[in-house]
Amino acid sequence: MAENDQDQERTEEATSRRRDEAREKGQVARSTEIVSVGILVACLIYFYFGASGLLKNIMELMTSGFRGAGQFNLTQESLTYLFSDYIFKGFIILFPIMLTVLVAAILGNILQIGVMFSSESVTPKLSKIDPLKGFQRLFSMRSIVELIKSIFKICVISMVVYFVVKSELADMIPLMDQSVWGMMMYFGRICFKIILATTIVLVILAILDYIYQRWEYEKSLRMTKQEIKDEYKNTEGDPLIKARIRRLQREMAQKRMMSQVPKADVIITNPTHLAVAIQYDHENMMAPKVVAKGANLIAAKIKEIAQENDIPIVEDKPLAQVLYKTVDIDHLIPEDLYRAVAEVLAFVYEQKKIKIFG
């Protein structure tokens, strides 16, 4: 009952990490019906265009075999040679159809899941040979669904074969007047008709099976809200720890910034809410630079350090607001503010001269 409750709580869509982990384990939405139908369609196309050539090659192999049977003495060496020769020639004849099956099977999987290799899915596990778990899998819901699907397929295919054969019954009576080759051609045509009708039905069933497999796969990947929170903590870190790290980083940045305030030439204020520290060395700098800035308590701390180091504090509300909003720390002031900052610096330098020589 607890397990059912847990399943009912899995209402959240799977995260990308959960999907990646499932894919690494070989857990993907894959329908074996798609692969089977793909092989059947590929073979059907091959036989439609190449059945005559395949039949011709088989008949030539059989003819040469019967003709050459009397030319060999039946010894162990001759039998071995004949057997290996027929196997090799038979392999050459059947190689195209085997290659067709292989390519169709590979394409059927690639079209569903892409290119994937998972070592975990083929790793031997003792749980796979556990009789109790095997018995549970045998009577699991998935096994019951697969059994129902198989029975349904058998019934549908049987009905297709029945109706195709029934529609051809009237044409079977004149076969008594046909040659053996004519009868073979007729039954070959009926077989092809049955396979074609069966393939169409199986394609529809395969599409429905893939939709079901996709739905079941998405359902198995669903997560609880707690699982999403735990995953977020594992990937992004604990929010409390991250907040503490950010706070420490801000404190360290503020300490570094405050250490630059004594190097400033002037502090431009709002006057109480904002403070921007400007440094300018005409020999090493292309333009004045903002070495520190802050609002409220930080602004008060900047002004306090400035007073301790005898750095001039100039009140200029518009300039302080523009510098605070547009210029980052350790960045040169923009060109459109050169004139305003230059006037402040000129005023400061003039005040220093008056103080020194006054």
Side-chain angles (χ1 to χ4, degrees):
M1 186 69 180
E3 185 176 352
N4 293 334
D5 294 340
Q6 187 175 2
D7 290 338
Q8 291 175 0
E9 294 174 0
R10 296 181 182 275
T11 56
E12 305 301 315
E13 292 292 331
T15 60
S16 57
R17 185 186 180 190
R18 178 68 172 265
R19 295 179 184 278
D20 293 340
E21 290 177 349
R23 186 176 179 84
E24 290 176 0
K25 296 178 181 178
Q27 300 173 0
V28 291
R30 188 177 71 91
S31 172
T32 56
E33 302 297 331
I34 294 289
V35 179
S36 301
V37 170
I39 294 173
L40 184 59
V41 170
C43 292
L44 187 66
I45 295 173
Y46 176 81
F47 281 119
Y48 181 80
F49 292 102
S52 58
L54 179 63
L55 182 60
K56 180 181 177 181
N57 292 333
I58 293 175
M59 292 181 66
E60 288 179 354
L61 178 62
M62 294 177 64
T63 301
S64 63
F66 287 130
R67 286 178 179 175
Q71 299 177 3
F72 291 90
N73 294 324
L74 295 180
T75 62
Q76 183 176 357
E77 290 77 9
S78 63
L79 286 175
T80 302
Y81 170 77
L82 287 172
F83 186 71
S84 60
D85 184 55
Y86 287 147
I87 288 179
F88 177 75
K89 290 180 178 178
F91 175 78
I92 295 299
I93 294 173
L94 296 178
F95 178 75
I97 186 65
M98 291 189 291
L99 182 62
T100 301
V101 171
L102 178 62
V103 172
I106 294 174
L107 288 178
N109 283 289
I110 291 178
L111 291 176
Q112 292 185 83
I113 62 176
V115 179
M116 184 190 74
F117 177 77
S118 174
S119 59
E120 186 169 345
S121 59
V122 296
T123 302
K125 294 181 181 179
L126 294 177
S127 59
K128 293 182 179 180
I129 59 175
D130 187 349
L132 181 59
K133 291 185 178 180
F135 184 79
Q136 292 175 350
R137 287 195 297 267
L138 184 62
F139 292 95
S140 63
M141 181 58 67
R142 185 178 184 85
S143 299
I144 295 174
V145 171
E146 292 297 328
L147 177 62
I148 294 174
K149 281 165 46 182
S150 300
I151 295 174
F152 181 72
K153 280 199 304 182
I154 293 173
C155 294
V156 172
I157 293 173
S158 299
M159 291 176 60
V160 170
V161 173
Y162 171 76
F163 286 115
V164 171
V165 173
K166 184 179 179 181
S167 64
E168 296 289 339
L169 284 178
D171 297 330
M172 290 185 181
I173 298 177
L175 286 178
M176 293 182 293
D177 299 328
Q178 297 289 330
S179 62
V180 174
W181 183 255
M183 287 189 290
M184 290 180 62
M185 292 292 292
Y186 176 78
F187 284 113
R189 183 175 63 82
I190 292 180
C191 291
F192 183 82
K193 195 173 181 179
I194 291 173
I195 295 174
L196 179 61
T198 303
T199 301
I200 295 173
V201 173
L202 290 179
V203 166
I204 298 173
L205 294 179
I207 294 173
L208 294 176
D209 181 68
Y210 179 76
I211 295 173
Y212 168 77
Q213 297 294 340
R214 191 76 191 179
W215 172 81
E216 188 181 52
Y217 174 72
E218 293 293 334
K219 182 181 178 182
S220 66
L221 289 182
R222 286 179 185 171
M223 305 170 65
T224 62
K225 294 182 179 180
Q226 185 60 41
E227 286 176 335
I228 293 180
K229 291 180 181 178
D230 294 340
E231 181 181 299
Y232 178 80
K233 287 182 180 180
N234 293 331
T235 54
E236 304 294 334
D238 193 320
L240 297 177
I241 297 176
K242 288 184 66 178
R244 178 175 174 80
I245 292 174
R246 285 195 296 267
R247 187 177 72 252
L248 293 175
Q249 291 174 340
R250 285 196 300 269
E251 292 176 356
M252 293 175 63
Q254 288 178 8
K255 289 180 179 179
R256 287 196 301 269
M257 182 182 70
M258 293 301 179
S259 66
Q260 299 296 316
V261 174
K263 301 178 182 179
D265 293 300
V266 63
I267 309 297
I268 302 175
T269 64
N270 193 21
T272 58
H273 299 324
L274 301 176
V276 180
I278 302 294
Q279 180 189 12
Y280 180 56
D281 183 356
H282 67 279
E283 294 181 355
N284 300 315
M285 295 182 183
M286 296 177 59
K289 180 174 69 172
V290 174
V291 294
K293 68 177 182 177
N296 300 322
L297 294 177
I298 297 177
K301 184 66 176 178
I302 291 174
K303 289 188 288 185
E304 180 183 343
I305 296 175
Q307 291 172 354
E308 293 174 356
N309 291 270
D310 198 21
I311 298 172
I313 299 175
V314 177
E315 179 182 338
D316 190 330
K317 295 181 180 180
L319 182 58
Q321 291 177 351
V322 173
L323 289 172
Y324 181 81
K325 293 179 180 179
T326 61
V327 185
D328 294 329
I329 298 173
D330 289 331
H331 281 65
L332 301 178
I333 64 172
E335 188 175 349
D336 57 340
L337 296 177
Y338 281 179
R339 183 179 181 85
V341 175
E343 291 178 355
V344 173
L345 290 173
F347 173 77
V348 169
Y349 294 153
E350 185 67 25
Q351 293 297 317
K352 284 184 178 180
K353 289 181 182 179
I354 295 175
K355 185 175 182 181
I356 292 173
F357 298 103

